[in-house]
Structure formats: structure tokens, C-alpha cells
Amino acid sequence: MNPFHCYDVRPGAALRVFCFPHAGGSAAFFRLWHRGTPGAEVRAVQYPGRADRSGEPFAESVALLAKQVAEAMTPLLDRPAVLFGHSLGALVAYESARELRARGRGVAALVVSGRHAAHERLAVSAHLGTDDELAAELGRLGGSDPELLEDPVIRELVLPAVRSDYRLEETYRHRHDAPLDCPVLALVGADDPEVSAEQAARWAELTSGGFTLRTLPGDHFYLQDRREDVMRAVLAAAPPSTP
């Protein structure tokens, strides 16, 4: 199945932006981005096991998910591409960029948001917690309404995907390889309880193509209130020479 959602196909766009959602998120998280990217076409990644891909099993690993995404992305690289990922999505976007490089294809830029660098391992295991603990973790990060997560029907719909995505994140092991050669922009909320600016700055160690760190007001889900700022930053991430 096509893993990308595109609500505004733009055959003449000079740039494609591929968006990777956070743990428990879906392509719908980026539905408003399609309107705010002049000159670019937005393709949002839908992970397996949710929404219109609910009949598929959850991804086994970040590496396998990245391979699937890169394979589907390859025919769409007829124009420069920027990869944007938030939280778990930053990790999947990074691994997708590495997989594309292995296939001899590059990206114009990688934008990683709300996550520590891929090679920094943190000893966490939220995916092994109870449903109550997992719901509390989502509430702590601010991406979900705590009252909704008290509804057993909502929990049954949401928590399996969240648990699977946390497992992907927490069992990921970075494979040391040559750094990327594309520019990398790291975005982080000033009050993000999950990642500091210092941690986000370590993404610089994973590219030889130039690195920029930008801090924006807000918490882990700062991009909900700063969507337009983030979209402008994403569009500006590609080098000026990019068509």
C-alpha cells in the first residue's frame, strides 16, 4: 500500500516534503501542512497498523520501516526532497535518509524535531508499562487530551499503536556508518521535557553537510502552536541552489 498521504498533489512543485509523525501519530497530524507550503508538495507518511493501514501489522523495527518508506519514496525523487520528522518521526526520517543514500539517492535536507540525536541511547522502557502508565506518559508530553485517554474505547484504539511505536524507539540501536552529506536542521521546543538543546545539537555529529539548531517556544509538541514557523523553517532547510 502507498504509505504517503497527499491532500494537494502539485505536479509543478519544485520541492517535495516528506513528513514523519511522532509515536502514536498518523499522517493526519500534517493535514494542514499541505496548505502552508507554497512551491512544495507535502507527502505525509502513514505508518502501518493505523488509520487506513490498520489491517497491516505494526512495523518490526525502525530499520525495516525505513526500508519500506525509502522504497516507496524512490519513484517520487524526481525533484529535491526534504525529510521532516518529529520525535519518533525524526528517527525514522534519519534512517530513511540513510537508506536512500545506500540506494544511491540523496535528499536536499533532513529536519529533525523534538528528539535527541540518533546515536545517543537513553535507557527507557515505557513500552513495557501498563496502559495506565502509557496513558500518563502521553499526558505528560502534552500531545493527547488526558480525559480522552480515560475512555476505554479510545484507549483500545490508540494505545496499541503508541506501545508499538515506543517499542520501535526504545529498542532502536544506531548503526555507526559514514555521516549523511545533506544539511541537517534540528528543531526543539524550549521547554521540551524530553530533549534539551544540547542533546538536539548532537545531530551535528551525524552529517558532514552542515548543521543548524533552532529553539522555538513551547514543549514537546511546540509545533502545534508554531506550525507556520516550522513550515517556513522546513522549506528554508534545503540549500539555496536547490531548484
Side-chain angles (χ1 to χ4, degrees):
M1 176 177 285
N2 179 6
F4 305 118
H5 281 204
C6 183
Y7 298 101
D8 186 3
V9 178
R10 298 176 179 177
L15 185 73
R16 279 201 171 103
V17 178
F18 292 90
C19 299
F20 297 72
H22 55 279
S26 70
F29 184 79
F30 298 103
R31 64 188 181 280
L32 297 180
W33 284 48
H34 300 262
R35 305 175 187 173
T37 51
E41 179 183 272
V42 172
R43 300 257 174 168
V45 179
Q46 187 77 287
Y47 301 146
R50 70 211 67 200
D52 57 318
R53 300 187 68 187
S54 60
E56 302 177 47
F58 293 124
E60 294 181 16
S61 69
V62 170
L64 287 176
L65 178 56
K67 285 181 182 294
Q68 295 167 359
V69 171
E71 182 176 357
M73 191 183 295
T74 299
L76 298 171
L77 297 179
D78 56 331
R79 65 204 70 181
V82 173
L83 276 53
F84 170 87
H86 179 66
S87 199
L88 169 66
L91 187 59
V92 182
Y94 166 70
E95 283 292 341
S96 297
R98 294 217 294 178
E99 178 64 25
L100 287 170
R101 182 186 61 184
R103 295 166 180 254
R105 307 301 297 266
V107 297
L110 170 66
V111 183
V112 289
S113 166
R115 194 188 190 279
H116 57 277
H119 60 320
E120 180 184 4
R121 183 181 173 188
L122 302 182
V124 288
S125 54
H127 74 285
L128 298 177
T130 65
D131 283 356
D132 285 344
E133 290 169 338
L134 202 56
E137 175 68 8
L138 293 179
R140 181 182 71 86
L141 294 178
S144 304
D145 186 338
E147 292 185 3
L148 283 178
L149 291 175
E150 292 177 2
D151 186 322
V153 176
I154 298 297
R155 283 194 177 200
E156 186 176 353
L157 290 172
V158 171
L159 290 187
V162 172
R163 189 179 299 280
S164 174
D165 288 352
Y166 270 56
R167 177 186 56 79
L168 291 182
E169 173 110 29
E170 294 167 357
T171 60
Y172 170 82
R173 299 294 179 267
H174 184 260
R175 296 173 294 105
H176 292 284
D177 199 352
L180 295 173
D181 57 5
C182 65
V184 173
L185 167 65
L187 302 175
V188 63
D191 300 314
D192 191 333
E194 285 294 286
V195 56
S196 66
E198 290 76 18
Q199 288 176 306
R202 292 198 63 197
W203 283 102
E205 301 167 21
L206 299 178
T207 185
S208 62
F211 175 76
T212 304
L213 172 66
R214 184 174 175 187
T215 301
L216 294 172
D219 57 18
H220 189 62
F221 283 96
Y222 73 93
L223 66 172
Q224 291 179 312
D225 293 329
R226 311 289 298 194
R227 185 180 69 251
E228 293 183 0
D229 290 337
V230 174
M231 288 190 295
R232 282 194 293 267
V234 169
L235 293 178
S241 58
T242 301

